[in-house]
Amino acid sequence: MTNSSGIRLAGKITTLLALMTIAPAAVADMVLNLRRGVTDISQTVYELHMLILWVCVVIAIVVFGVMIVSIILHRRSRGAEAADFSHSTKAELIWTIIPVIILVWMAVPAAKTLVVMEDFRDSEMTIKVTGYQWRWHYAYLGTEVDFFSSLARSSNIARQVRSGVDPFSVDNYLLDVDKPMVVPVDTKIRLLITANDVIHSWWMPSFAVKKDAIPGFINEIWFKANETGTYRGQCAELCGRGHGFMPIVVDVLSKQDYAAWIDAKDGGETVAMVDSTTAAEAPAVAEELSGEKLYNISCSACHQVNGQGLPPAFPSLVDSAMVKGPVAKHIDIVMNGRVGTAMIGFSTQLGDAELAAIINYERNAWGLNGGDTVQASDIAAAR
Amino acid sequence: MGPEYEATADQHHVDDHDHHGAPSGIKRWLFSTNHKDIGTMYLVFSLLMFFVGGAMIMIVRAELFQPGLQFVDPAFFNQMTTMHALVMVFGAIMPAFVGLANWMIPMMVGAPDMALPRMNNWSFWLLPVGFTFLIATLFMPGGAPAAGWTMYPPLVLQTGDAFPFLVFAIHILGASSIMGAINIIVTIMNMRAPTMTLLKMPLFVWTWFITAFLLLAAMPVFAGAVTMLLFDQFFGAHFFNAAGGGDPVMFQHIFWFFGHPEVYIMILPAFGIVSEIIPTFARKPLFGYNSMVYATASIAVLSFIVWAHHMFTVGMPLAGQLFFMFSTMLIAVPTGVKVFNWIATMWRGSMTFETPMLFSLAFVFLFTIGGFSGLMLAITPVDFQYHDTYFVVAHFHYVLVPGSLFGIMAGVYYWLPKWTGHIVDEKLAKMHFWLSAIFVNITFFPQHFLGLAGMPRRIPDYSTQFADFNMMSSLGAFGFGLSQLLFVYIVYQTVKGGKKASSEVWDNPVGLEWTVPSPAPYHTFETAPEVR
Ligand SMILES: [Cu+2]
């Protein structure tokens, strides 16, 4: 822990202890409630939430009120004598029927909202969302645009165990991605959600949508954002080691900006699009991050830092014939992955120099002495 | 208007009894067929597991104390959350209730012992075996199970060598529970004092009776589900593999068909315990005895038709979502009836606040808060926002910790003098209560806010906006954990010695258990007592 974060920690604990003892008023700047969100549905959901919350609060006041009064008045130390009644059909009927009425009254708006949520008619565009361990893939149906969306590099570095990086110094720590989903405002967008390996769940609190991404199944949801902006969410279904590290970011653009964006991406430019980000970052990053660091960030989740994997799910690289064998196959699997397994292709996520550095590291670490050196140009040639 | 009890005179002599007392040495425990000894073993075992599961969650809360990963790898974090749940559910809460059932049910119905004493021995001794398997997984290649206690495939199939041990442990624990349940049902059906009609049975007996049926119906389903996982993993069965024509969601349906009754298995006996305690300390008969029984039974029946409210986000047809929303909301009605009855029992009573009563009152308050959040979770369109967040974590910990666990604590404080013959040190016990009650709220109340603000559950690290409440929750958890050491000390102290308890222990409690001396002799009710 760095010195400054140590001081901040001490400060926080003191504030918290103070908070617990004094007033909840001081908690004002903490987020306490559900957000209203930016779709009609999310507003309705928020109102339903408030409705039921208040219903609960009122019932709580009545029930706990009676209980507290009883605790205060009907105690032996005040000389209370015990009555001996033990039932009352009237009372029992009342407290059975009133709750039923309240429940029916709440069920009606809830059911109505549900019906609207399930109405997929008239959606104007469709994006296919696929969950991977541990990133999202977005494919804009009817276009050539598709890309992976992974945890932003700054968060990814900071979130390593004892990374030494203070999470408070990272913008949108764990809630930022390299490439967000981009959608137009005021447009009914349908998402087809599935997964490649295990179950994930695509959750965007500001749109009040959450749907499981299930391998072999395609789920549907829709949303229509009323405001432009950047919205953040996370994978909501435990999906393994990296579950906490596959955020979701949606950029809602004006219709014109969106049209410009999709035009720039579409038309066989997928690779160029990816390169434009990686190429810009690559030189600086390559200097900064060795093959070992890159491996630990991108691969160790499955293959482990010591390269021994977690068989049977994730193979050991130390004992891998492929890693010891000809380099071309090794490059191929790292770039293109293997369909139907958790091993996805990394060609769209990492630059040439980075891929080369990782492969070199794998072939020469953990007592392996492959000796060969893959160059960035080898990767470029294989693209 | 509760039933009245009267022991036949010969229940009171112990010393001049010709029957043998407790055998000595290890054999007393290993081969025990005595319901009291087996009850004690269950309770001690569950206390041990409570600390094992507690230690695991201390690691979790330490990691969550502040953002960033300070201590453990995320994979190990997932192992800890998974194992914490499995150990607490199957090792702490359930065995504690079975222990209480063993000790109390025969005494409460005027039976000399459980109906099937040898099976009783076996169902206990399976527990340490099952947990040896489960805990051993921590040291296996690939680590302990890490897919959550819900074990959803395909993720759970990524478990390393631990996987078959997980399945096997569940089979063993399930067998133990099923045998325990059969024993309880048979005891209640066949061993009651002849004059104790069903509607004269104490509520603890009633709630356990109903719980035992839930166990019988639910545990085999669970065993089936994990067996299907086993077949998928090793024999290419594809039950849950879409690529092979199976359905991963089917596992969730099967799991929760077990899982929802399971949550009632963990709360109904607690309902029974507080229904015993509140009348004693309010000095007033339980309000609405019959409706309590009917409410418990209807909760049990309903618990089998609400399972899919745990999985609203899997993409069910609209009709399915509506059905499960309505049926779930319906459960609030009998649950409400129970809470109202407890309060009506207190109303115009003459209350005193000994430790068992304090835990019971906290139970009513805090369980009800868990009930409110449960009602909120039932509303499907809003559940999409709450599901798989800390709001859910807060909800089920409110019903399980100040719910089930406080129920158990209340029961232990209530009956400990009966078991040991010694009065509990009230001062220390009250301190234990207040520490527990305060820390439990510091731990779990902020988690409601975390969930609403958007923090998913089961994550080892979180965005900085969640930092403050997580720190508060962790501090609460550490405090709660430490406070429980006091409990161990109190129990130890009471077992060792203390003021002698009378056979009634409290002020005019109702029930056959209070007609036998304290400590309860090794054999009680060899001739059936008279119940008026
Ligand atoms: Cu995920």
Side-chain angles (χ1 to χ4, degrees):
Chain A
M1 196 190 322
T2 59
N3 211 2
S4 70
S5 68
I7 293 167
R8 171 167 30 230
L9 182 61
K12 285 222 158 210
I13 297 181
T14 343
T15 342
L16 263 174
L17 289 176
L19 270 182
M20 284 184 217
T21 44
I22 50 167
V27 204
D29 62 334
M30 296 183 180
V31 184
L32 295 173
N33 203 355
L34 213 59
R35 66 198 82 182
R36 272 183 178 279
V38 292
T39 64
D40 292 347
I41 293 269
S42 72
Q43 314 265 351
T44 318
V45 164
Y46 175 82
E47 275 150 27
L48 267 176
H49 158 77
M50 290 316 287
L51 171 72
I52 172 126
L53 182 63
W54 281 116
V55 168
C56 289
V57 168
V58 170
I59 301 176
I61 290 173
V62 174
V63 172
F64 294 156
V66 174
M67 192 167 153
I68 289 167
V69 167
S70 176
I71 288 174
I72 293 171
L73 295 182
H74 308 143
R75 48 166 68 215
R76 193 171 62 178
S77 56
R78 287 178 107 248
E81 295 271 340
D84 70 348
F85 63 88
S86 70
H87 71 275
S88 150
T89 314
K90 200 158 100 196
E92 293 182 48
L93 275 179
I94 291 176
W95 66 48
T96 309
I97 291 169
I98 292 185
V100 172
I101 295 173
I102 297 177
L103 289 176
V104 172
W105 174 62
M106 286 188 316
V108 173
K112 276 190 188 148
T113 313
L114 211 49
V115 172
V116 180
M117 284 176 156
E118 292 289 324
D119 181 357
F120 297 93
R121 282 170 301 178
D122 307 324
S123 48
E124 294 158 78
M125 61 180 271
T126 303
I127 302 174
K128 183 168 172 236
V129 178
T130 312
Y132 285 78
Q133 279 176 320
W134 292 281
R135 44 181 66 73
W136 294 97
H137 181 263
Y138 301 123
Y140 288 63
L141 297 195
T143 76
E144 298 278 291
V145 177
D146 77 283
F147 54 91
F148 278 97
S149 175
S150 313
L151 182 63
R153 180 156 293 154
S154 53
S155 288
N156 204 7
I157 292 170
R159 65 105 174 169
Q160 303 302 316
V161 182
R162 287 182 288 275
S163 65
V165 183
D166 182 359
F168 288 93
S169 69
V170 178
D171 277 347
N172 294 307
Y173 178 59
L174 296 187
L175 291 181
D176 203 8
V177 295
D178 52 357
K179 293 178 217 86
M181 172 192 273
V182 179
V183 296
V185 74
D186 290 329
T187 308
K188 184 164 181 176
I189 293 159
R190 187 170 68 130
L191 302 184
L192 298 179
I193 300 187
T194 185
N196 181 59
D197 34 46
V198 301
I199 301 176
H200 303 264
S201 189
W202 199 89
W203 178 30
M204 182 47 65
S206 296
F207 305 162
V209 293
K210 180 186 287 148
K211 200 67 133 203
D212 292 355
I214 303 171
F217 280 65
I218 295 183
N219 270 329
E220 266 182 315
I221 42 175
W222 69 269
F223 64 86
K224 185 173 179 180
N226 298 335
E227 283 167 39
T228 57
T230 302
Y231 304 101
R232 297 172 198 282
Q234 279 176 273
C235 174
E237 179 67 49
L238 177 61
C239 56
R241 187 174 182 270
H243 168 53
F245 311 106
M246 47 184 295
I248 298 161
V249 179
V250 179
D251 264 343
V252 179
L253 301 184
S254 70
K255 286 189 172 161
Q256 297 86 324
D257 289 354
Y258 174 76
W261 180 85
I262 195 83
D263 281 347
K265 301 307 163 209
D266 206 358
E269 277 199 80
T270 24
V271 175
M273 166 193 92
V274 169
D275 278 355
S276 68
T277 29
T278 41
E281 286 176 30
V285 169
E287 275 166 19
E288 191 185 300
L289 294 175
S290 62
E292 178 176 4
K293 278 232 173 80
L294 285 164
Y295 172 88
N296 287 346
I297 291 172
S298 304
C299 324
S300 68
C302 300
H303 298 293
Q304 304 299 299
V305 174
N306 61 12
Q308 303 197 324
L310 291 170
F314 306 121
S316 159
L317 299 180
V318 184
D319 309 324
S320 157
M322 183 176 296
V323 173
K324 293 176 188 157
V327 73
K329 274 193 161 168
H330 191 169
I331 295 179
D332 177 64
I333 191 165
V334 178
M335 289 182 64
N336 304 318
R338 187 160 297 152
V339 180
T341 74
M343 181 65 199
I344 58 161
F346 286 85
S347 61
T348 54
Q349 311 193 17
L350 296 167
D352 296 351
E354 292 167 300
L355 284 168
I358 292 181
I359 294 172
N360 284 332
Y361 173 71
E362 284 182 346
R363 295 178 80 80
N364 295 290
W366 315 305
L368 300 177
N369 280 310
D372 34 9
T373 39
V374 180
Q375 304 292 326
S377 54
D378 299 334
I379 307 288
R383 280 202 191 269
Chain B
M1 248 191 5
E4 286 174 30
Y5 304 90
E6 181 184 277
T8 47
D10 67 359
Q11 290 313 315
H12 292 285
H13 58 107
V14 212
D15 306 344
D16 57 335
H17 216 280
D18 60 345
H19 210 296
H20 59 88
S24 53
I26 182 83
K27 282 188 176 170
R28 164 171 181 183
W29 305 104
L30 219 48
F31 302 132
S32 180
T33 53
N34 179 289
H35 73 103
K36 301 190 180 79
D37 281 355
I38 294 177
T40 304
M41 289 197 289
Y42 264 111
L43 288 168
V44 171
F45 179 80
S46 75
L47 188 61
L48 186 74
M49 286 297 131
F50 177 51
F51 280 94
V52 172
M56 290 170 172
I57 211 61
M58 290 300 118
I59 296 175
V60 167
R61 285 308 331 170
E63 184 56 71
L64 291 174
F65 187 68
Q66 43 170 336
L69 287 172
Q70 288 80 26
F71 304 109
V72 298
D73 184 272
F76 186 70
F77 179 95
N78 290 347
Q79 295 172 26
M80 287 296 103
T81 52
T82 304
M83 292 290 279
H84 161 74
L86 290 170
V87 168
M88 287 304 198
V89 168
F90 297 104
I93 300 288
M94 289 170 68
F97 280 131
V98 181
L100 291 170
N102 252 292
W103 251 103
M104 302 317 300
I105 288 180
M107 287 211 282
M108 289 177 133
V109 301
D113 204 310
M114 296 293 281
L116 309 160
R118 279 175 217 280
M119 193 163 92
N120 204 10
N121 172 293
W122 204 31
S123 43
F124 171 75
W125 281 108
L126 281 180
L127 281 185
V129 178
F131 273 93
T132 307
F133 283 122
L134 192 63
I135 305 235
T137 60
L138 280 166
F139 309 100
M140 292 178 185
W149 83 286
T150 48
M151 296 178 253
Y152 286 179
L155 183 62
V156 74
L157 302 178
Q158 293 182 353
T159 309
D161 290 3
F163 182 74
F165 290 88
L166 168 68
V167 173
F168 197 35
I170 287 170
H171 282 155
I172 294 175
L173 301 177
S176 157
S177 294
I178 291 171
M179 286 194 283
I182 292 175
N183 215 342
I184 286 169
I185 293 175
V186 179
T187 305
I188 296 174
M189 295 290 261
N190 294 348
M191 307 275 289
R192 267 177 296 135
T195 42
M196 179 173 277
T197 55
L198 282 178
L199 282 176
K200 280 185 190 164
M201 294 196 312
L203 258 166
F204 180 64
V205 178
W206 255 117
T207 52
W208 239 120
F209 188 53
I210 292 167
T211 304
F213 280 103
L214 289 184
L215 276 169
L216 273 192
M219 293 309 293
V221 177
F222 188 32
V226 295
T227 310
M228 289 160 92
L229 286 177
L230 194 75
F231 273 65
D232 269 14
Q233 182 78 317
F234 296 112
F235 311 121
H238 303 309
F239 283 118
F240 307 126
N241 176 0
D247 179 351
V249 178
M250 185 170 66
F251 177 86
Q252 301 186 21
H253 282 291
I254 304 175
F255 178 88
W256 286 112
F257 186 80
F258 144 80
H260 198 80
E262 170 69 20
V263 310
Y264 286 97
I265 289 166
M266 291 191 282
I267 198 67
L268 293 185
F271 286 175
I273 293 170
V274 303
S275 303
E276 298 298 324
I277 293 174
I278 292 176
T280 299
F281 296 97
R283 292 169 182 75
K284 201 165 144 276
L286 183 70
F287 187 89
Y289 172 92
N290 286 357
S291 70
M292 283 302 227
V293 173
Y294 298 139
T296 312
S298 32
I299 292 174
V301 172
L302 286 175
S303 78
F304 281 103
I305 57 162
V306 298
W307 74 89
H309 69 213
H310 295 273
M311 37 190 288
F312 279 137
T313 59
V314 296
M316 263 183 286
L318 178 62
Q321 299 186 37
L322 289 172
F323 173 80
F324 286 108
M325 173 166 77
F326 297 145
S327 61
T328 304
M329 293 173 84
L330 208 56
I331 284 207
V333 176
T335 314
V337 166
K338 304 208 72 123
V339 173
F340 299 139
N341 281 350
W342 288 321
I343 295 176
T345 308
M346 296 173 211
W347 190 253
R348 292 187 46 217
S350 171
M351 273 189 272
T352 50
F353 303 94
E354 288 84 344
T355 314
M357 182 66 160
L358 289 177
F359 271 104
S360 301
L361 293 178
F363 173 96
V364 178
F365 265 114
L366 302 176
F367 171 80
T368 306
I369 292 183
F372 284 137
S373 54
L375 187 58
M376 296 173 74
L377 285 159
I379 312 291
T380 313
V382 205
D383 175 77
F384 293 149
Q385 291 284 49
Y386 307 142
H387 177 71
D388 267 339
T389 69
Y390 260 81
F391 191 80
V392 177
V393 177
H395 159 70
F396 69 75
H397 280 95
Y398 261 87
V399 293
L400 279 173
V401 183
S404 310
L405 183 64
F406 276 23
I408 292 166
M409 295 278 182
V412 169
Y413 280 117
Y414 189 48
W415 288 310
L416 197 56
K418 176 57 61 190
W419 303 336
T420 61
H422 303 131
I423 299 285
V424 181
D425 180 340
E426 266 298 303
K427 244 214 188 115
L428 281 186
K430 285 206 167 114
M431 196 156 101
H432 172 231
F433 166 76
W434 284 110
L435 287 173
S436 301
I438 290 169
F439 281 125
V440 92
N441 284 295
I442 298 180
T443 309
F444 297 116
F445 209 79
Q447 297 185 353
H448 291 116
F449 302 132
L450 284 174
L452 295 177
M455 177 165 162
R457 64 192 284 206
R458 292 167 163 170
I459 55 175
D461 191 6
Y462 47 82
S463 161
T464 49
Q465 78 200 74
F466 306 127
D468 295 344
F469 282 130
N470 268 297
M471 188 176 285
M472 195 187 286
S473 183
S474 287
L475 289 174
F478 300 147
F480 187 82
L482 288 176
S483 314
Q484 303 320 308
L485 295 174
L486 183 57
F487 176 68
V488 179
Y489 175 72
I490 294 170
V491 172
Y492 174 77
Q493 192 196 39
T494 314
V495 171
K496 285 297 256 199
K499 263 196 5 218
K500 286 259 160 285
S502 68
S503 47
E504 293 212 314
V505 182
W506 312 104
D507 186 11
N508 261 320
V510 177
L512 286 173
E513 75 263 39
W514 309 110
T515 63
V516 301
S518 308
Y522 200 56
H523 297 284
T524 36
F525 297 122
E526 278 162 284
T527 39
E530 196 74 35
V531 181
R532 272 189 287 121

